[in-house]
Amino acid sequence: MLIIIFAWLSMFFTTLFAPPKHLWTLVTTQGFFIALFSVSWIFLQDFNFSNSLFFIDKISGPLAILTCWLFPLTMLASQSKMYLEPVNRQRAYIANNTFLQLTTLLAFTSSDLMFFFIFFEASLLPTMIIITRWGAQERRLEAGMYLAFYTMLGAVPLMVWLIKFYSTNASLMSTLTYILSISQAPTTYPGLFWATYNAAFLVKLPLYCLHLWLPKAHVEAPIAGSMTLAGTLLKLGGYGILRTSTLLQENFLNQLLPVMLITILGILATALLCLRQTDLKSLIAMSSVSHMNLVVAAALIAHSWSYSGAMAMMIAHGLTSSALFCLANTTYERTNSRTMILLRGAMLIFPLAGVWWLTIVLFNLALPPTINFAGELLIMVTIYNWSPIAFLIVALNLIFTTAYTLYVLWSTQRGPLPTHIKTLSPFQIREHLLLSLHILPALLLILKPELIF
Ligand SMILES: *[C@@H]1O[C@H](CO)[C@@H](O)[C@H](O)[C@H]1NC(C)=O
């Protein structure tokens, strides 16, 4: 495992010393090689590896693979815009992205919960730098502030709990606590306790009501920032909840009904909110919130099926939402606008891109053979098992998801072509490659879904 970390560290040397002319080619190629190497190494361990520093199992393995896979894709996506900037800024951008990738990977794979916490928080730093330095508009500073304050505030109770847990049980190693079944002693208000210490994760996921930073961050972030944010950073929250849930013995669902209510209504509310967005990126961000709230619901139900569903959902969503941001970025790079009404009729000039839109949007909608569907189905089944009324509300979400999917397709692909976008540069092979590399893993997972359950 250290080999992989050092391999990723070697990216910094390439970033700093590569000749400016070949910077992006070298970085992207090296990224792909290291990603392939890491992915095959984790496969060879059969998702079952632990030593004193690292721990890979069925929960962290798939997420670590997702993190490794997305890094070269972010490099592939950002090069056309970044290429125009001064070389030093390009290097700083790549270095910050590598740093972000490294902290996320370390957070997913470290076996000690305190290390997890440190890297979890450390990932905030490069994210903030990327958003505030390379963001598109003035309001990126506000977005950075929101991000920092929400995350920092949520982190405090978690830190207190981790220190307390360490001082009573003398260990935070996931492997050890699991084997010796060390767990948190019963508390007076278990529901409140769960909600407080998970606040850091619920903010990161984000739970509805705590999600205000997300659309802002997404709208302001450059493409690599959006991709990593949607692809891996949100999953850190889900991973944290799943990872720490083994430290609790009881099921607190009865005391957590208010949180469950927020989650269930949040799924519906964000899907409805999507219908009212005019900004393409903030629509995709809202749809992420809707999907991630399903993960919160699954984690609250705490059943083995719902955990599998949450895992499938996170991996599938990581691939599809990142792909959606890439698509939004392809139009953004050409028209410098994210307003959907200005992007109408794209199918007339980019028919092949229309196919990508349809495919990826259908993945996002959870069309049956996809892995998104498998995740959603598992979660819905457990929700039905818990309460048929909650199930009905979540089922309504399917209708609104379809509605906003159609809204996206209609408003970006159909309709008359506005005159101002008749002279756009055609799609490059790079962009087709980028999108197919997102969809390929999602398609392969349909054939072998047991990898992430
Ligand atoms: C991130 O970017 C900042 C500002 O451009 C730069 O000073 C810093 O060195 C970068 N961080 C890393 C880890 O390279």
Side-chain angles (χ1 to χ4, degrees), residues 92 95-96 99 129 133-134:
N96 274 304
F99 185 46
I129 295 179
R133 257 212 88 174
W134 284 276

PDB file of all heavy atoms in Angstrom, residues 92 95-96 99 129 133-134, ligand 1:
ATOM      1  N   ALA A  92       0.863  24.731  -9.975  1.00  0.00           N
ATOM      2  CA  ALA A  92       0.231  24.802  -8.655  1.00  0.00           C
ATOM      3  C   ALA A  92      -1.124  24.107  -8.678  1.00  0.00           C
ATOM      4  O   ALA A  92      -1.492  23.404  -7.733  1.00  0.00           O
ATOM      5  CB  ALA A  92       0.068  26.258  -8.237  1.00  0.00           C
ATOM      6  N   ALA A  95      -0.537  20.409  -8.659  1.00  0.00           N
ATOM      7  CA  ALA A  95      -0.028  19.995  -7.355  1.00  0.00           C
ATOM      8  C   ALA A  95      -1.150  19.971  -6.331  1.00  0.00           C
ATOM      9  O   ALA A  95      -1.274  19.020  -5.555  1.00  0.00           O
ATOM     10  CB  ALA A  95       1.071  20.934  -6.909  1.00  0.00           C
ATOM     11  N   ASN A  96      -1.995  20.983  -6.356  1.00  0.00           N
ATOM     12  CA  ASN A  96      -3.105  21.000  -5.406  1.00  0.00           C
ATOM     13  C   ASN A  96      -4.078  19.860  -5.653  1.00  0.00           C
ATOM     14  O   ASN A  96      -4.598  19.266  -4.711  1.00  0.00           O
ATOM     15  CB  ASN A  96      -3.840  22.337  -5.466  1.00  0.00           C
ATOM     16  CG  ASN A  96      -3.185  23.371  -4.576  1.00  0.00           C
ATOM     17  OD1 ASN A  96      -3.028  23.134  -3.397  1.00  0.00           O
ATOM     18  ND2 ASN A  96      -2.777  24.470  -5.155  1.00  0.00           N
ATOM     19  N   PHE A  99      -2.533  16.760  -4.334  1.00  0.00           N
ATOM     20  CA  PHE A  99      -2.609  16.775  -2.874  1.00  0.00           C
ATOM     21  C   PHE A  99      -4.002  16.356  -2.406  1.00  0.00           C
ATOM     22  O   PHE A  99      -4.163  15.544  -1.489  1.00  0.00           O
ATOM     23  CB  PHE A  99      -2.266  18.185  -2.397  1.00  0.00           C
ATOM     24  CG  PHE A  99      -2.185  18.332  -0.915  1.00  0.00           C
ATOM     25  CD1 PHE A  99      -1.493  17.410  -0.149  1.00  0.00           C
ATOM     26  CD2 PHE A  99      -2.800  19.391  -0.276  1.00  0.00           C
ATOM     27  CE1 PHE A  99      -1.424  17.543   1.225  1.00  0.00           C
ATOM     28  CE2 PHE A  99      -2.734  19.529   1.090  1.00  0.00           C
ATOM     29  CZ  PHE A  99      -2.049  18.605   1.843  1.00  0.00           C
ATOM     30  N   ILE A 129      -8.500  25.797  -1.667  1.00  0.00           N
ATOM     31  CA  ILE A 129      -7.559  26.521  -2.534  1.00  0.00           C
ATOM     32  C   ILE A 129      -8.017  26.431  -3.977  1.00  0.00           C
ATOM     33  O   ILE A 129      -8.043  27.429  -4.697  1.00  0.00           O
ATOM     34  CB  ILE A 129      -6.137  25.938  -2.383  1.00  0.00           C
ATOM     35  CG1 ILE A 129      -5.629  26.175  -0.971  1.00  0.00           C
ATOM     36  CG2 ILE A 129      -5.201  26.586  -3.373  1.00  0.00           C
ATOM     37  CD1 ILE A 129      -4.266  25.632  -0.702  1.00  0.00           C
ATOM     38  N   ARG A 133      -9.050  29.856  -5.704  1.00  0.00           N
ATOM     39  CA  ARG A 133      -8.050  30.397  -6.619  1.00  0.00           C
ATOM     40  C   ARG A 133      -8.392  30.230  -8.075  1.00  0.00           C
ATOM     41  O   ARG A 133      -8.068  31.064  -8.898  1.00  0.00           O
ATOM     42  CB  ARG A 133      -6.712  29.713  -6.357  1.00  0.00           C
ATOM     43  CG  ARG A 133      -5.891  30.637  -5.604  1.00  0.00           C
ATOM     44  CD  ARG A 133      -4.479  30.664  -5.758  1.00  0.00           C
ATOM     45  NE  ARG A 133      -3.948  31.508  -6.777  1.00  0.00           N
ATOM     46  CZ  ARG A 133      -2.663  31.684  -6.900  1.00  0.00           C
ATOM     47  NH1 ARG A 133      -1.845  31.078  -6.086  1.00  0.00           N
ATOM     48  NH2 ARG A 133      -2.196  32.442  -7.852  1.00  0.00           N
ATOM     49  N   TRP A 134      -9.023  29.095  -8.397  1.00  0.00           N
ATOM     50  CA  TRP A 134      -9.288  28.847  -9.809  1.00  0.00           C
ATOM     51  C   TRP A 134     -10.764  28.916 -10.151  1.00  0.00           C
ATOM     52  O   TRP A 134     -11.169  28.514 -11.222  1.00  0.00           O
ATOM     53  CB  TRP A 134      -8.691  27.498 -10.216  1.00  0.00           C
ATOM     54  CG  TRP A 134      -7.220  27.564 -10.373  1.00  0.00           C
ATOM     55  CD1 TRP A 134      -6.549  27.975 -11.481  1.00  0.00           C
ATOM     56  CD2 TRP A 134      -6.227  27.229  -9.408  1.00  0.00           C
ATOM     57  NE1 TRP A 134      -5.208  27.919 -11.245  1.00  0.00           N
ATOM     58  CE2 TRP A 134      -4.976  27.461  -9.992  1.00  0.00           C
ATOM     59  CE3 TRP A 134      -6.263  26.759  -8.092  1.00  0.00           C
ATOM     60  CZ2 TRP A 134      -3.780  27.236  -9.327  1.00  0.00           C
ATOM     61  CZ3 TRP A 134      -5.080  26.530  -7.433  1.00  0.00           C
ATOM     62  CH2 TRP A 134      -3.855  26.771  -8.041  1.00  0.00           C
TER      63      TRP A 134
HETATM   64  C1  LIG B   1      -1.688  25.079  -4.013  1.00  0.00           C
HETATM   65  O1  LIG B   1      -1.797  26.346  -4.587  1.00  0.00           O
HETATM   66  C2  LIG B   1      -1.200  27.377  -3.840  1.00  0.00           C
HETATM   67  C3  LIG B   1      -1.570  28.673  -4.451  1.00  0.00           C
HETATM   68  O2  LIG B   1      -1.436  28.675  -5.815  1.00  0.00           O
HETATM   69  C4  LIG B   1       0.297  27.138  -3.792  1.00  0.00           C
HETATM   70  O3  LIG B   1       0.939  28.183  -3.100  1.00  0.00           O
HETATM   71  C5  LIG B   1       0.545  25.805  -3.108  1.00  0.00           C
HETATM   72  O4  LIG B   1       1.921  25.490  -3.141  1.00  0.00           O
HETATM   73  C6  LIG B   1      -0.258  24.700  -3.757  1.00  0.00           C
HETATM   74  N1  LIG B   1      -0.238  23.520  -2.915  1.00  0.00           N
HETATM   75  C7  LIG B   1       0.435  22.410  -3.204  1.00  0.00           C
HETATM   76  C8  LIG B   1       0.293  21.279  -2.281  1.00  0.00           C
HETATM   77  O5  LIG B   1       1.146  22.338  -4.147  1.00  0.00           O
END
